[in-house]
Amino acid sequence: MTALPLVFDAPKRALPPRHLADLDPADRRAAVGELGLPGFRADQLSRHYFGRFTADVDAMTDLPAAAREDLAALLPPLVTPVTEQTCDSGTTRKTLWRGHDGTLAESVLMGYPDRATACISSQAGCGMACPFCATGQGGLERNLSTAEIVDQVRQAAAAARDGALGEPTRLSNVVFMGMGEPLANYKRMVAALRRITDPAPDGLGISARGVTVSTVGLVPAIDKLAAEGIPVTLAVSLHAPDDELRDTLVPVNNRWKVGEVLDAARRYATTTGRRVSIEYALIRDVNDQPWRAELLGTLLRRRIGTKRVHVNLIPLNPTPGSRWDASPRAVQDEFVRRVQAAGVACTVRDTRGREIAAACGQLAAQNA
Ligand code: SAH
């Protein structure tokens, strides 16, 4: 097991130039004014970008040519696709994209019978150093800007609408389960949440109920998020019910212990009225023992309450160079049974994108 240091503050690297999606509606009008254009041009531009998912000014034919040229300054290309790979009969699609400075990051679009989900990155790399996660092994390169986060969603929504998954589909769900620790890039991530959930044309108009923010458990940031008034689903990557094991699997546990993280999850559920998700990657002979399943179940029942929590088991995706593997099916079934026996809802996540290294914890663009 590699022991990497925890990194909370991203290295100081230049973020990309200002983009429409960095700005709230008032700042958009101000920015358009700085370009010498009337404020209503900002609303027109927003209708194209947030309402129709268009970032190409040449396609905005309701705008005069001269205005289009000026407005292009607010739509610098930030998230430029480098490669696209598909698997699962075309219903999983991974995009490797490049930022303004050559930074690489990844997003995944997944189609289901009843919904389409974009799994997006909040940082290039990650500083949380979880030893079973490919991204954690590469370290943190830099934060993504608000617009870099939003534009992943905008492009996914456009692709889904244009039939990238087969039938034209509306993007209904966004999960911050790609690269990075979203709560370590707090301000930009929350601004992105507003752009994603505000009704069009202020934002992309995706229901907050369809958005999930997944975290290793940065306790103060969980409390801050609860107070933002954006009722997104919180997912906590627990992976062990006891501090001894969690200290090694999720190194941030050395700072905030299991009990503190679960208390923060309960406060989040109480404040927002949303059920929290507990993520648990099942690793053979590491965290999959029946006694841990029982401890997990009773701990969640006691600390959060059975109505406010749901366990999402993720069969481990082995990452290159790791000696860890997923648990055998019988062990997994027994684990589910014991958590459920404690009265806590528990399901196994369907793992998409295995053949294209787009499955949970495999996004590590620096190796691409
Ligand atoms: N930093 C955030 C979000 C990124 S990862 C977090 O930790 O929650 C999204 C989920 O994938 C997390 O629960 C993470 O622990 C899990 N994951 C990472 N690597 C994995 C792997 N190899 N197999 C299964 N799940 C993994």
Side-chain angles (χ1 to χ4, degrees):
M1 194 191 299
T2 21
L4 292 172
L6 274 171
V7 181
F8 290 99
D9 295 315
K12 292 274 170 282
R13 298 240 331 248
L15 287 182
R18 183 177 68 168
H19 184 285
L20 185 77
D22 287 315
L23 309 174
D24 65 23
D27 287 342
R28 286 174 215 164
R29 280 188 286 276
V32 162
E34 284 165 31
L35 297 171
L37 295 169
F40 69 86
R41 295 287 183 221
D43 304 335
Q44 284 180 302
L45 196 60
S46 292
R47 275 198 285 280
H48 282 290
Y49 182 86
F50 292 100
R52 291 179 213 137
F53 317 137
T54 305
D56 173 13
V57 289
D58 292 332
M60 303 177 187
T61 47
D62 58 328
L63 291 162
R68 294 209 299 255
E69 244 170 67
D70 293 337
L71 289 170
L74 289 175
L75 294 172
L78 298 183
V79 172
T80 308
V82 183
T83 58
E84 310 263 9
Q85 285 172 280
T86 60
C87 72
D88 304 323
S89 316
T91 58
T92 304
R93 190 183 165 86
K94 178 174 84 166
T95 305
L96 169 71
W97 55 268
R98 180 179 307 171
H100 75 115
D101 56 353
T103 297
L104 296 172
E106 293 178 330
S107 322
V108 186
L109 176 61
M110 290 161 287
Y112 301 88
D114 59 335
R115 64 189 197 280
T117 301
C119 176
I120 59 165
S121 298
S122 55
Q123 299 181 307
C126 187
M128 296 299 113
C130 302
F132 56 89
C133 173
T135 311
Q137 297 317 291
L140 177 59
E141 206 177 327
R142 71 163 166 85
N143 282 322
L144 298 186
S145 71
T146 296
E148 284 176 313
I149 298 171
V150 175
D151 205 51
Q152 295 172 65
V153 182
R154 196 264 312 167
Q155 293 194 29
R161 177 202 55 201
D162 297 340
L165 300 169
E167 290 291 299
T169 319
R170 194 181 63 83
L171 184 71
S172 52
N173 294 75
V174 175
V175 297
F176 283 76
M177 294 187 183
M179 303 170 78
E181 167 51 44
L183 296 189
N185 187 14
Y186 188 84
K187 262 177 46 193
R188 297 176 193 91
M189 189 276 302
V190 167
L193 287 181
R194 297 198 187 283
R195 297 299 107 75
I196 291 166
T197 58
D198 277 351
D202 285 352
L204 293 167
I206 293 171
S207 161
R209 299 184 156 267
V211 178
T212 299
V213 172
S214 182
T215 178
V216 289
L218 307 184
V219 167
I222 291 175
D223 287 324
K224 231 165 120 186
L225 184 62
E228 298 283 353
I230 321 172
V232 295
T233 300
L234 178 75
V236 173
S237 297
L238 200 66
H239 305 314
D242 54 306
D243 286 318
E244 192 184 353
L245 179 58
R246 193 167 191 265
D247 279 348
T248 65
L249 289 182
V250 185
V252 81
N253 198 69
N254 292 284
R255 188 108 152 218
W256 292 287
K257 296 295 172 193
V258 170
E260 293 174 88
V261 173
L262 295 183
D263 285 348
R266 187 197 57 246
R267 291 193 294 273
Y268 189 89
T270 311
T271 308
T272 61
R274 308 284 299 141
R275 199 154 77 148
V276 297
S277 226
I278 299 295
E279 310 291 296
Y280 199 106
L282 216 51
I283 314 174
R284 176 186 213 137
D285 298 333
V286 173
N287 65 355
D288 63 354
Q289 302 81 358
W291 72 266
R292 282 205 161 91
E294 257 170 48
L295 179 59
L296 178 66
T298 33
L299 204 57
L300 295 179
R301 189 182 64 217
R302 284 213 310 263
R303 289 255 184 187
I304 304 182
T306 54
K307 293 205 169 58
R308 298 213 153 119
V309 69
H310 173 268
V311 175
N312 227 325
L313 286 186
I314 318 170
L316 183 86
N317 287 304
T319 57
S322 160
R323 54 199 158 78
W324 288 334
D325 204 351
S327 303
R329 185 57 201 263
V331 173
Q332 177 181 298
D333 291 346
E334 179 62 11
F335 199 95
V336 173
R337 207 188 59 70
R338 292 203 182 215
V339 174
Q340 288 174 342
V344 173
C346 178
T347 49
V348 179
R349 177 177 307 162
D350 129 73
T351 50
R352 290 287 192 92
R354 284 184 172 247
E355 301 110 82
I356 56 173
C360 307
Q362 292 184 339
L363 299 185
Q366 59 270 40
N367 302 330

Short mmCIF file of all heavy atoms in Angstrom, two decimals, residues 119-120 122-123 126 128 130-136 175-183 213-217 235-239 246 249-250 278-283 312-319 322 324 349 351 354 359-363, ligand 1:
data_model
loop_
_atom_site.label_atom_id
_atom_site.label_comp_id
_atom_site.label_asym_id
_atom_site.label_seq_id
_atom_site.Cartn_x
_atom_site.Cartn_y
_atom_site.Cartn_z
N CYS A 119 -21.18 11.52 -14.93
CA CYS A 119 -20.24 11.41 -13.81
C CYS A 119 -19.09 12.37 -14.13
O CYS A 119 -18.39 12.19 -15.13
CB CYS A 119 -19.75 9.97 -13.69
SG CYS A 119 -18.51 9.72 -12.41
N ILE A 120 -18.93 13.40 -13.31
CA ILE A 120 -18.01 14.47 -13.68
C ILE A 120 -16.89 14.64 -12.65
O ILE A 120 -16.97 14.17 -11.52
CB ILE A 120 -18.76 15.82 -13.85
CG1 ILE A 120 -19.47 16.21 -12.55
CG2 ILE A 120 -19.75 15.73 -15.00
CD1 ILE A 120 -19.91 17.66 -12.54
N SER A 122 -14.23 17.14 -10.44
CA SER A 122 -14.19 18.45 -9.79
C SER A 122 -12.76 18.97 -9.64
O SER A 122 -12.53 20.14 -9.37
CB SER A 122 -14.83 18.36 -8.40
OG SER A 122 -14.19 17.35 -7.63
N GLN A 123 -11.79 18.07 -9.80
CA GLN A 123 -10.38 18.44 -9.76
C GLN A 123 -9.65 17.60 -10.80
O GLN A 123 -10.14 16.52 -11.17
CB GLN A 123 -9.77 18.13 -8.38
CG GLN A 123 -10.41 18.86 -7.21
CD GLN A 123 -9.74 18.53 -5.88
OE1 GLN A 123 -9.60 17.37 -5.52
NE2 GLN A 123 -9.35 19.56 -5.14
N CYS A 126 -6.39 14.08 -7.57
CA CYS A 126 -7.05 14.13 -6.27
C CYS A 126 -5.98 14.08 -5.18
O CYS A 126 -4.97 13.39 -5.34
CB CYS A 126 -8.00 12.94 -6.10
SG CYS A 126 -9.00 13.02 -4.59
N MET A 128 -6.61 13.15 -1.96
CA MET A 128 -7.11 12.42 -0.79
C MET A 128 -6.42 11.07 -0.58
O MET A 128 -6.59 10.44 0.46
CB MET A 128 -8.63 12.26 -0.86
CG MET A 128 -9.38 13.58 -0.80
SD MET A 128 -9.09 14.49 0.75
CE MET A 128 -8.20 15.93 0.18
N CYS A 130 -6.58 7.91 -1.34
CA CYS A 130 -7.15 6.59 -1.00
C CYS A 130 -6.41 5.51 -1.80
O CYS A 130 -6.32 5.60 -3.03
CB CYS A 130 -8.64 6.55 -1.31
SG CYS A 130 -9.57 7.84 -0.44
N PRO A 131 -5.85 4.50 -1.12
CA PRO A 131 -4.93 3.58 -1.79
C PRO A 131 -5.58 2.66 -2.83
O PRO A 131 -4.87 2.09 -3.66
CB PRO A 131 -4.35 2.76 -0.63
CG PRO A 131 -5.33 2.90 0.48
CD PRO A 131 -5.97 4.23 0.32
N PHE A 132 -6.91 2.51 -2.81
CA PHE A 132 -7.57 1.61 -3.77
C PHE A 132 -8.05 2.34 -5.01
O PHE A 132 -8.64 1.74 -5.90
CB PHE A 132 -8.77 0.92 -3.09
CG PHE A 132 -9.75 1.90 -2.52
CD1 PHE A 132 -10.79 2.38 -3.31
CD2 PHE A 132 -9.61 2.39 -1.23
CE1 PHE A 132 -11.68 3.31 -2.81
CE2 PHE A 132 -10.50 3.32 -0.72
CZ PHE A 132 -11.54 3.77 -1.51
N CYS A 133 -7.86 3.67 -5.05
CA CYS A 133 -8.42 4.50 -6.13
C CYS A 133 -7.31 4.97 -7.06
O CYS A 133 -6.29 5.49 -6.61
CB CYS A 133 -9.13 5.70 -5.51
SG CYS A 133 -9.69 6.92 -6.71
N ALA A 134 -7.52 4.77 -8.37
CA ALA A 134 -6.49 5.12 -9.35
C ALA A 134 -6.19 6.62 -9.32
O ALA A 134 -5.03 7.03 -9.38
CB ALA A 134 -6.94 4.71 -10.75
N THR A 135 -7.23 7.44 -9.19
CA THR A 135 -7.00 8.88 -9.18
C THR A 135 -6.19 9.29 -7.95
O THR A 135 -5.28 10.12 -8.03
CB THR A 135 -8.33 9.66 -9.19
OG1 THR A 135 -9.17 9.13 -10.21
CG2 THR A 135 -8.11 11.13 -9.45
N GLY A 136 -6.50 8.66 -6.83
CA GLY A 136 -5.80 8.98 -5.58
C GLY A 136 -4.32 8.68 -5.67
O GLY A 136 -3.51 9.29 -4.96
N VAL A 175 -23.46 13.19 -11.12
CA VAL A 175 -22.79 12.73 -9.91
C VAL A 175 -21.34 13.22 -9.91
O VAL A 175 -20.64 13.10 -10.90
CB VAL A 175 -22.87 11.18 -9.76
CG1 VAL A 175 -24.31 10.72 -9.62
CG2 VAL A 175 -22.20 10.44 -10.90
N PHE A 176 -20.94 13.80 -8.79
CA PHE A 176 -19.55 14.25 -8.63
C PHE A 176 -18.74 13.05 -8.14
O PHE A 176 -18.28 13.02 -7.00
CB PHE A 176 -19.47 15.41 -7.65
CG PHE A 176 -19.90 16.73 -8.22
CD1 PHE A 176 -21.24 17.03 -8.41
CD2 PHE A 176 -18.95 17.70 -8.58
CE1 PHE A 176 -21.64 18.25 -8.94
CE2 PHE A 176 -19.33 18.93 -9.10
CZ PHE A 176 -20.67 19.21 -9.28
N MET A 177 -18.60 12.05 -9.03
CA MET A 177 -17.88 10.83 -8.66
C MET A 177 -16.77 10.53 -9.66
O MET A 177 -16.29 9.41 -9.75
CB MET A 177 -18.85 9.65 -8.58
CG MET A 177 -19.86 9.79 -7.45
SD MET A 177 -20.85 8.31 -7.26
CE MET A 177 -21.96 8.79 -5.94
N GLY A 178 -16.38 11.55 -10.40
CA GLY A 178 -15.24 11.41 -11.29
C GLY A 178 -13.97 11.70 -10.51
O GLY A 178 -13.83 11.32 -9.35
N MET A 179 -13.04 12.40 -11.16
CA MET A 179 -11.78 12.70 -10.49
C MET A 179 -11.98 13.81 -9.46
O MET A 179 -12.72 14.75 -9.69
CB MET A 179 -10.74 13.16 -11.51
CG MET A 179 -10.50 12.15 -12.61
SD MET A 179 -9.48 12.84 -13.94
CE MET A 179 -7.89 12.74 -13.17
N GLY A 180 -11.27 13.69 -8.35
CA GLY A 180 -11.20 14.79 -7.41
C GLY A 180 -12.12 14.69 -6.22
O GLY A 180 -13.04 13.88 -6.18
N GLU A 181 -11.84 15.50 -5.22
CA GLU A 181 -12.66 15.60 -4.02
C GLU A 181 -13.43 16.92 -4.11
O GLU A 181 -12.86 17.99 -3.91
CB GLU A 181 -11.76 15.55 -2.78
CG GLU A 181 -12.43 15.94 -1.48
CD GLU A 181 -13.74 15.21 -1.19
OE1 GLU A 181 -13.83 13.98 -1.37
OE2 GLU A 181 -14.70 15.90 -0.78
N PRO A 182 -14.74 16.83 -4.43
CA PRO A 182 -15.50 18.07 -4.67
C PRO A 182 -15.47 19.05 -3.50
O PRO A 182 -15.41 20.26 -3.71
CB PRO A 182 -16.93 17.58 -4.95
CG PRO A 182 -16.94 16.11 -4.69
CD PRO A 182 -15.54 15.63 -4.67
N LEU A 183 -15.49 18.55 -2.27
CA LEU A 183 -15.53 19.47 -1.12
C LEU A 183 -14.18 20.11 -0.85
O LEU A 183 -14.08 21.03 -0.04
CB LEU A 183 -16.07 18.76 0.13
CG LEU A 183 -17.53 18.27 0.03
CD1 LEU A 183 -18.01 17.78 1.40
CD2 LEU A 183 -18.47 19.34 -0.50
N VAL A 213 -23.34 14.79 -4.67
CA VAL A 213 -21.97 15.19 -4.36
C VAL A 213 -21.37 14.11 -3.47
O VAL A 213 -21.90 13.82 -2.39
CB VAL A 213 -21.94 16.56 -3.66
CG1 VAL A 213 -20.52 16.89 -3.17
CG2 VAL A 213 -22.44 17.65 -4.59
N SER A 214 -20.27 13.52 -3.91
CA SER A 214 -19.65 12.41 -3.19
C SER A 214 -18.36 12.90 -2.53
O SER A 214 -17.55 13.58 -3.15
CB SER A 214 -19.34 11.28 -4.17
OG SER A 214 -18.78 10.17 -3.50
N THR A 215 -18.19 12.57 -1.25
CA THR A 215 -17.03 13.08 -0.50
C THR A 215 -16.39 12.02 0.37
O THR A 215 -17.05 11.10 0.84
CB THR A 215 -17.43 14.29 0.39
OG1 THR A 215 -16.29 14.73 1.13
CG2 THR A 215 -18.54 13.91 1.37
N VAL A 216 -15.08 12.18 0.61
CA VAL A 216 -14.39 11.33 1.57
C VAL A 216 -14.82 11.65 3.00
O VAL A 216 -14.55 10.87 3.91
CB VAL A 216 -12.85 11.51 1.48
CG1 VAL A 216 -12.30 10.90 0.20
CG2 VAL A 216 -12.45 12.97 1.61
N GLY A 217 -15.46 12.83 3.20
CA GLY A 217 -15.94 13.17 4.54
C GLY A 217 -15.21 14.34 5.15
O GLY A 217 -14.68 14.24 6.26
N ALA A 235 -23.26 11.90 -0.79
CA ALA A 235 -22.75 10.53 -0.69
C ALA A 235 -21.45 10.59 0.11
O ALA A 235 -20.59 11.43 -0.17
CB ALA A 235 -22.50 9.95 -2.08
N VAL A 236 -21.34 9.75 1.11
CA VAL A 236 -20.12 9.72 1.93
C VAL A 236 -19.39 8.41 1.64
O VAL A 236 -19.96 7.32 1.76
CB VAL A 236 -20.46 9.82 3.43
CG1 VAL A 236 -19.22 9.60 4.27
CG2 VAL A 236 -21.09 11.16 3.75
N SER A 237 -18.13 8.52 1.23
CA SER A 237 -17.33 7.34 0.94
C SER A 237 -16.78 6.80 2.25
O SER A 237 -15.75 7.25 2.73
CB SER A 237 -16.20 7.71 -0.02
OG SER A 237 -16.76 8.15 -1.24
N LEU A 238 -17.47 5.84 2.82
CA LEU A 238 -17.09 5.35 4.15
C LEU A 238 -16.06 4.21 4.04
O LEU A 238 -14.98 4.29 4.58
CB LEU A 238 -18.34 4.89 4.92
CG LEU A 238 -18.14 4.81 6.44
CD1 LEU A 238 -17.91 6.19 7.04
CD2 LEU A 238 -19.33 4.13 7.10
N HIS A 239 -16.45 3.14 3.38
CA HIS A 239 -15.56 2.01 3.06
C HIS A 239 -15.10 1.17 4.25
O HIS A 239 -14.53 0.09 4.06
CB HIS A 239 -14.35 2.44 2.25
CG HIS A 239 -14.70 3.19 0.98
ND1 HIS A 239 -15.68 2.76 0.12
CD2 HIS A 239 -14.21 4.34 0.44
CE1 HIS A 239 -15.78 3.61 -0.89
NE2 HIS A 239 -14.91 4.58 -0.71
N ARG A 246 -10.42 2.32 8.51
CA ARG A 246 -10.69 3.50 7.67
C ARG A 246 -9.50 4.46 7.64
O ARG A 246 -9.28 5.16 6.65
CB ARG A 246 -11.96 4.22 8.13
CG ARG A 246 -12.45 5.25 7.10
CD ARG A 246 -13.86 5.76 7.37
NE ARG A 246 -14.36 6.52 6.23
CZ ARG A 246 -14.29 7.85 6.11
NH1 ARG A 246 -13.77 8.57 7.07
NH2 ARG A 246 -14.74 8.45 5.02
N LEU A 249 -7.76 3.08 4.59
CA LEU A 249 -8.47 3.07 3.31
C LEU A 249 -8.84 4.47 2.84
O LEU A 249 -8.86 4.76 1.64
CB LEU A 249 -9.75 2.22 3.40
CG LEU A 249 -9.58 0.71 3.52
CD1 LEU A 249 -10.95 0.04 3.56
CD2 LEU A 249 -8.75 0.16 2.37
N VAL A 250 -9.18 5.33 3.79
CA VAL A 250 -9.55 6.72 3.48
C VAL A 250 -8.74 7.60 4.42
O VAL A 250 -9.17 7.93 5.52
CB VAL A 250 -11.07 6.95 3.68
CG1 VAL A 250 -11.48 8.35 3.23
CG2 VAL A 250 -11.89 5.89 2.94
N ILE A 278 -24.30 6.07 1.66
CA ILE A 278 -23.00 5.66 2.19
C ILE A 278 -22.36 4.75 1.15
O ILE A 278 -22.91 3.70 0.80
CB ILE A 278 -23.18 4.90 3.53
CG1 ILE A 278 -23.84 5.80 4.59
CG2 ILE A 278 -21.84 4.35 4.03
CD1 ILE A 278 -23.03 6.99 5.04
N GLU A 279 -21.22 5.18 0.63
CA GLU A 279 -20.52 4.39 -0.39
C GLU A 279 -19.57 3.42 0.32
O GLU A 279 -18.85 3.80 1.25
CB GLU A 279 -19.71 5.29 -1.33
CG GLU A 279 -20.47 6.47 -1.91
CD GLU A 279 -21.54 6.05 -2.89
OE1 GLU A 279 -21.21 5.50 -3.94
OE2 GLU A 279 -22.73 6.28 -2.59
N TYR A 280 -19.57 2.18 -0.16
CA TYR A 280 -18.73 1.17 0.48
C TYR A 280 -18.20 0.26 -0.62
O TYR A 280 -18.93 -0.56 -1.17
CB TYR A 280 -19.58 0.38 1.50
CG TYR A 280 -18.79 -0.38 2.55
CD1 TYR A 280 -18.73 0.08 3.87
CD2 TYR A 280 -18.13 -1.58 2.25
CE1 TYR A 280 -18.03 -0.62 4.85
CE2 TYR A 280 -17.43 -2.28 3.22
CZ TYR A 280 -17.38 -1.80 4.52
OH TYR A 280 -16.69 -2.49 5.49
N ALA A 281 -16.94 0.45 -0.99
CA ALA A 281 -16.31 -0.42 -2.00
C ALA A 281 -15.92 -1.71 -1.30
O ALA A 281 -15.14 -1.70 -0.34
CB ALA A 281 -15.08 0.27 -2.59
N LEU A 282 -16.48 -2.81 -1.76
CA LEU A 282 -16.25 -4.08 -1.08
C LEU A 282 -14.94 -4.70 -1.58
O LEU A 282 -14.80 -5.01 -2.77
CB LEU A 282 -17.43 -5.00 -1.36
CG LEU A 282 -17.87 -5.94 -0.24
CD1 LEU A 282 -18.08 -5.20 1.08
CD2 LEU A 282 -19.15 -6.65 -0.64
N ILE A 283 -13.97 -4.83 -0.67
CA ILE A 283 -12.64 -5.32 -1.02
C ILE A 283 -12.41 -6.67 -0.33
O ILE A 283 -12.51 -6.76 0.90
CB ILE A 283 -11.54 -4.32 -0.59
CG1 ILE A 283 -11.91 -2.88 -1.00
CG2 ILE A 283 -10.19 -4.73 -1.17
CD1 ILE A 283 -10.95 -1.83 -0.49
N ASN A 312 -24.68 2.01 -0.51
CA ASN A 312 -24.39 1.67 -1.88
C ASN A 312 -23.11 0.85 -1.88
O ASN A 312 -22.03 1.39 -1.64
CB ASN A 312 -24.11 2.99 -2.61
CG ASN A 312 -24.83 3.08 -3.91
OD1 ASN A 312 -25.00 2.09 -4.60
ND2 ASN A 312 -25.24 4.30 -4.22
N LEU A 313 -23.22 -0.44 -2.10
CA LEU A 313 -22.00 -1.26 -2.17
C LEU A 313 -21.45 -1.19 -3.59
O LEU A 313 -22.19 -1.33 -4.56
CB LEU A 313 -22.31 -2.71 -1.84
CG LEU A 313 -22.59 -3.09 -0.39
CD1 LEU A 313 -22.73 -4.61 -0.29
CD2 LEU A 313 -21.48 -2.61 0.54
N ILE A 314 -20.15 -0.99 -3.68
CA ILE A 314 -19.51 -0.94 -5.00
C ILE A 314 -18.51 -2.09 -5.07
O ILE A 314 -17.55 -2.11 -4.31
CB ILE A 314 -18.71 0.38 -5.20
CG1 ILE A 314 -19.49 1.60 -4.67
CG2 ILE A 314 -18.31 0.56 -6.64
CD1 ILE A 314 -18.66 2.87 -4.61
N PRO A 315 -18.75 -3.08 -5.94
CA PRO A 315 -17.71 -4.11 -6.08
C PRO A 315 -16.40 -3.43 -6.48
O PRO A 315 -16.39 -2.63 -7.41
CB PRO A 315 -18.24 -4.99 -7.22
CG PRO A 315 -19.71 -4.69 -7.31
CD PRO A 315 -19.86 -3.26 -6.88
N LEU A 316 -15.32 -3.69 -5.76
CA LEU A 316 -14.06 -2.99 -6.06
C LEU A 316 -13.65 -3.20 -7.50
O LEU A 316 -13.69 -4.31 -8.03
CB LEU A 316 -12.93 -3.49 -5.16
CG LEU A 316 -11.63 -2.72 -5.40
CD1 LEU A 316 -11.58 -1.46 -4.56
CD2 LEU A 316 -10.40 -3.57 -5.14
N ASN A 317 -13.25 -2.11 -8.14
CA ASN A 317 -12.61 -2.21 -9.45
C ASN A 317 -11.13 -2.23 -9.21
O ASN A 317 -10.56 -1.22 -8.80
CB ASN A 317 -12.96 -1.00 -10.31
CG ASN A 317 -14.38 -1.04 -10.77
OD1 ASN A 317 -14.80 -2.01 -11.40
ND2 ASN A 317 -15.14 -0.02 -10.44
N PRO A 318 -10.50 -3.37 -9.47
CA PRO A 318 -9.06 -3.43 -9.21
C PRO A 318 -8.34 -2.41 -10.07
O PRO A 318 -8.67 -2.24 -11.25
CB PRO A 318 -8.68 -4.86 -9.62
CG PRO A 318 -9.96 -5.60 -9.74
CD PRO A 318 -11.02 -4.60 -10.06
N THR A 319 -7.41 -1.68 -9.49
CA THR A 319 -6.65 -0.69 -10.26
C THR A 319 -5.26 -1.25 -10.51
O THR A 319 -4.77 -2.09 -9.74
CB THR A 319 -6.57 0.65 -9.51
OG1 THR A 319 -5.97 0.41 -8.24
CG2 THR A 319 -7.94 1.25 -9.29
N SER A 322 -2.43 -2.79 -7.99
CA SER A 322 -2.98 -3.04 -6.67
C SER A 322 -3.19 -4.54 -6.50
O SER A 322 -3.53 -5.25 -7.43
CB SER A 322 -4.32 -2.31 -6.52
OG SER A 322 -5.06 -2.89 -5.48
N TRP A 324 -5.41 -5.70 -4.50
CA TRP A 324 -6.75 -5.87 -4.00
C TRP A 324 -7.73 -6.27 -5.08
O TRP A 324 -7.57 -5.91 -6.24
CB TRP A 324 -7.25 -4.59 -3.33
CG TRP A 324 -6.58 -4.34 -2.04
CD1 TRP A 324 -6.03 -5.29 -1.23
CD2 TRP A 324 -6.36 -3.09 -1.42
NE1 TRP A 324 -5.50 -4.69 -0.11
CE2 TRP A 324 -5.70 -3.35 -0.21
CE3 TRP A 324 -6.68 -1.78 -1.75
CZ2 TRP A 324 -5.34 -2.33 0.67
CZ3 TRP A 324 -6.33 -0.77 -0.88
CH2 TRP A 324 -5.66 -1.05 0.32
N ARG A 349 -24.18 -1.46 -6.38
CA ARG A 349 -24.14 -0.61 -7.57
C ARG A 349 -23.75 -1.42 -8.80
O ARG A 349 -22.84 -2.23 -8.77
CB ARG A 349 -23.15 0.53 -7.40
CG ARG A 349 -23.08 1.35 -8.68
CD ARG A 349 -22.20 2.53 -8.59
NE ARG A 349 -22.51 3.38 -7.46
CZ ARG A 349 -21.63 4.27 -7.00
NH1 ARG A 349 -20.46 4.38 -7.55
NH2 ARG A 349 -21.96 5.04 -5.99
N THR A 351 -21.84 -1.78 -12.00
CA THR A 351 -20.59 -1.14 -12.39
C THR A 351 -20.51 -1.03 -13.90
O THR A 351 -20.46 -2.03 -14.59
CB THR A 351 -19.36 -1.88 -11.87
OG1 THR A 351 -19.50 -3.25 -12.22
CG2 THR A 351 -19.21 -1.75 -10.37
N ARG A 354 -16.30 -0.86 -17.22
CA ARG A 354 -15.08 -1.59 -16.82
C ARG A 354 -14.05 -1.71 -17.94
O ARG A 354 -12.86 -1.51 -17.71
CB ARG A 354 -15.45 -2.99 -16.33
CG ARG A 354 -16.03 -2.94 -14.93
CD ARG A 354 -16.30 -4.33 -14.41
NE ARG A 354 -16.69 -4.23 -13.00
CZ ARG A 354 -15.97 -4.69 -12.00
NH1 ARG A 354 -14.83 -5.28 -12.21
NH2 ARG A 354 -16.38 -4.55 -10.77
N ALA A 359 -14.88 2.89 -14.95
CA ALA A 359 -15.66 2.48 -13.78
C ALA A 359 -15.14 3.20 -12.54
O ALA A 359 -14.06 3.81 -12.55
CB ALA A 359 -15.57 0.98 -13.60
N CYS A 360 -15.90 3.10 -11.45
CA CYS A 360 -15.58 3.80 -10.20
C CYS A 360 -14.11 3.69 -9.85
O CYS A 360 -13.55 2.61 -9.76
CB CYS A 360 -16.37 3.23 -9.04
SG CYS A 360 -18.12 3.18 -9.33
N GLY A 361 -13.48 4.83 -9.61
CA GLY A 361 -12.12 4.84 -9.12
C GLY A 361 -11.06 4.59 -10.17
O GLY A 361 -9.89 4.49 -9.86
N GLN A 362 -11.49 4.49 -11.42
CA GLN A 362 -10.49 4.20 -12.47
C GLN A 362 -10.12 5.41 -13.30
O GLN A 362 -9.33 5.30 -14.23
CB GLN A 362 -11.01 3.09 -13.39
CG GLN A 362 -11.11 1.76 -12.68
CD GLN A 362 -11.51 0.65 -13.60
OE1 GLN A 362 -12.09 0.88 -14.65
NE2 GLN A 362 -11.23 -0.57 -13.20
N LEU A 363 -10.72 6.55 -13.00
CA LEU A 363 -10.40 7.72 -13.81
C LEU A 363 -9.05 8.28 -13.37
O LEU A 363 -8.90 8.77 -12.28
CB LEU A 363 -11.50 8.78 -13.66
CG LEU A 363 -12.90 8.35 -14.11
CD1 LEU A 363 -13.87 9.51 -14.04
CD2 LEU A 363 -12.85 7.78 -15.51
N1 SAH B 1 -13.53 12.06 -3.83
C1 SAH B 1 -14.92 11.69 -3.84
C2 SAH B 1 -15.48 11.39 -5.20
C3 SAH B 1 -14.70 10.53 -6.14
S1 SAH B 1 -14.80 8.83 -6.28
C4 SAH B 1 -15.15 10.52 -2.92
O1 SAH B 1 -14.20 9.91 -2.49
O2 SAH B 1 -16.30 10.26 -2.60
C5 SAH B 1 -16.42 8.20 -6.26
C6 SAH B 1 -16.53 6.88 -5.51
O3 SAH B 1 -15.76 5.83 -6.13
C7 SAH B 1 -16.00 6.98 -4.07
O4 SAH B 1 -16.89 6.36 -3.20
C8 SAH B 1 -14.70 6.22 -4.16
O5 SAH B 1 -14.28 5.76 -2.92
C9 SAH B 1 -15.08 5.10 -5.11
N2 SAH B 1 -13.92 4.38 -5.65
C10 SAH B 1 -12.68 4.86 -5.85
N3 SAH B 1 -11.88 3.90 -6.35
C11 SAH B 1 -12.63 2.79 -6.44
C12 SAH B 1 -12.36 1.46 -6.90
N4 SAH B 1 -11.15 1.11 -7.34
N5 SAH B 1 -13.37 0.58 -6.86
C13 SAH B 1 -14.59 0.92 -6.43
N6 SAH B 1 -14.91 2.16 -6.00
C14 SAH B 1 -13.94 3.08 -6.00
#
